[in-house]
Amino acid sequence: MRHNDSSPDKSVRTLRVGEQVRHVLSEILQRGDVHDDTLASHMVSVTEVRMSPDLRHATVFVKPLLGKDEDAVLKALRTNTAYLQREVAHRVKMKYAARLKFLADESFDEGSHIDALLRAPKVAQDLDQNADD
């Protein structure tokens, strides 16, 4: 019996491998293993790694501490992608070395935006009125 890509086993494996890749990348960046001035001077959180179903591609979501110099940090990560891919391939046992793609994690920005909207006077007033009903 063959499993298709949407089988529960496959998605659990995809999530597990993604978490392993996230952990390895976090460790590499935290220890300063990448010889790059930008990465050495910034704390970078690897917030999530989404693996493709075939585990050949990994989308890596990152956020520099306090959101500082996001463009420079992304550029540095992309410049060092080959090194990071080799390290991940070496430390995470996979059939193929996953290709890494680095993106800024916008979820923090969205959360701040939603929080700001909820605190806006008009919205707060509407929320207070609904709470009284």
Side-chain angles (χ1 to χ4, degrees):
M1 187 168 110
R2 291 185 51 187
H3 289 286
N4 63 19
D5 282 351
S6 63
S7 73
D9 294 343
K10 190 83 161 181
S11 62
V12 168
R13 182 164 179 251
T14 303
L15 291 170
R16 186 172 37 81
V17 171
E19 187 56 24
Q20 287 176 323
V21 172
R22 188 191 71 76
H23 182 75
V24 166
L25 286 171
S26 294
E27 191 176 278
I28 291 168
L29 294 171
Q30 191 174 20
R31 290 191 3 211
D33 291 349
V34 183
H35 301 291
D36 183 284
D37 292 341
T38 302
L39 296 177
S41 63
H42 291 80
M43 290 289 295
V44 180
S45 290
V46 180
T47 56
E48 183 183 0
V49 175
R50 292 184 193 157
M51 300 300 298
S52 63
D54 63 4
L55 303 178
R56 289 182 185 228
H57 298 273
T59 304
V60 181
F61 292 92
V62 296
K63 191 71 175 176
L65 189 65
L66 305 176
K68 285 189 171 183
D69 304 322
E70 195 168 82
D71 290 340
V73 167
L74 280 171
K75 185 177 181 198
L77 287 167
R78 290 170 181 157
T79 300
N80 291 282
T81 297
Y83 169 78
L84 292 166
Q85 283 176 179
R86 276 195 309 275
E87 286 300 304
V88 167
H90 179 70
R91 299 182 195 192
V92 179
K93 302 298 178 220
M94 296 190 309
K95 194 172 185 177
Y96 304 100
R99 293 188 57 104
L100 304 178
K101 178 181 173 184
F102 293 96
L103 297 176
D105 187 340
E106 306 295 344
S107 64
F108 292 97
D109 300 336
E110 289 173 23
S112 298
H113 179 70
I114 291 168
D115 193 50
L117 284 174
L118 290 173
R119 292 174 191 275
K122 176 74 178 123
V123 175
Q125 176 187 342
D126 288 348
L127 290 173
D128 288 342
Q129 284 178 348
N130 287 338
D132 295 339
D133 291 345

